[in-house]
Amino acid sequence: QVQLVASGGGSAQAGGSLRLSCAASGFTFSSYWMYWVRQAPGKGLEWVASIGSNGNFKAYGDLVKGRFTISRNNAKNTVYLQMNSLKPEDTATYYCAADPRWRSWVGSLPSEDEFTYWGQGTQVTVSI
């Protein structure tokens, strides 16, 4: 049974930090690209960050570039998202997702059904 279990969400003040984790099981984690996607209240999905299967390639959405860092530990089947300098507009439910292919969104929004596997999400709330 495939599982992507995200954790580490919570409340933070603007300027603070949080570290999200996503533990994967039931598939060959090291063969998959991993993604973080978020959804703010009342809005569509927004791509946040991607990391290649061996961790050598990383990409970030414009709104989080320079503040967020994606990483992975294939020995632990876990992907991370270190979020620094948080802003109220980072408030959202954060999802991790997996796909064997590189995916990118230019002028479009991601959708859940584009990914092979999709996690349950963890809530992040940033206050002023």
Side-chain angles (χ1 to χ4, degrees):
Q1 180 183 0
V2 171
Q3 284 191 310
L4 289 171
V5 180
S7 62
S11 298
Q13 288 192 320
S17 298
L18 286 172
R19 189 194 195 203
L20 305 184
S21 299
C22 176
S25 60
F27 64 101
T28 307
F29 179 78
S30 60
S31 296
Y32 281 70
W33 290 78
M34 296 299 297
Y35 301 84
W36 285 99
V37 178
R38 69 186 181 184
Q39 186 168 28
K43 296 188 177 181
L45 293 175
E46 176 190 4
W47 167 66
V48 175
S50 308
I51 186 166
S53 57
N54 61 8
N56 285 352
F57 181 87
K58 302 176 184 181
Y60 300 92
D62 288 341
L63 296 179
V64 307
K65 198 175 297 181
R67 299 187 297 121
F68 290 10
T69 302
I70 189 171
S71 62
R72 67 190 294 161
N73 185 329
N74 285 350
K76 295 184 177 181
N77 287 357
T78 302
V79 62
Y80 305 97
L81 186 68
Q82 177 66 44
M83 305 187 296
N84 298 331
S85 302
L86 284 165
K87 303 177 180 180
E89 50 264 45
D90 294 321
T91 295
T93 301
Y94 285 72
Y95 300 91
C96 61
D99 200 89
R101 299 153 291 183
W102 159 248
R103 294 195 169 278
S104 64
W105 297 270
V106 178
S108 64
L109 300 176
S111 62
E112 181 179 339
D113 58 11
E114 290 184 68
F115 301 94
T116 301
Y117 303 124
W118 183 264
Q120 95 286 5
T122 185
Q123 177 67 37
V124 171
T125 302
V126 183
S127 58
I128 297 173

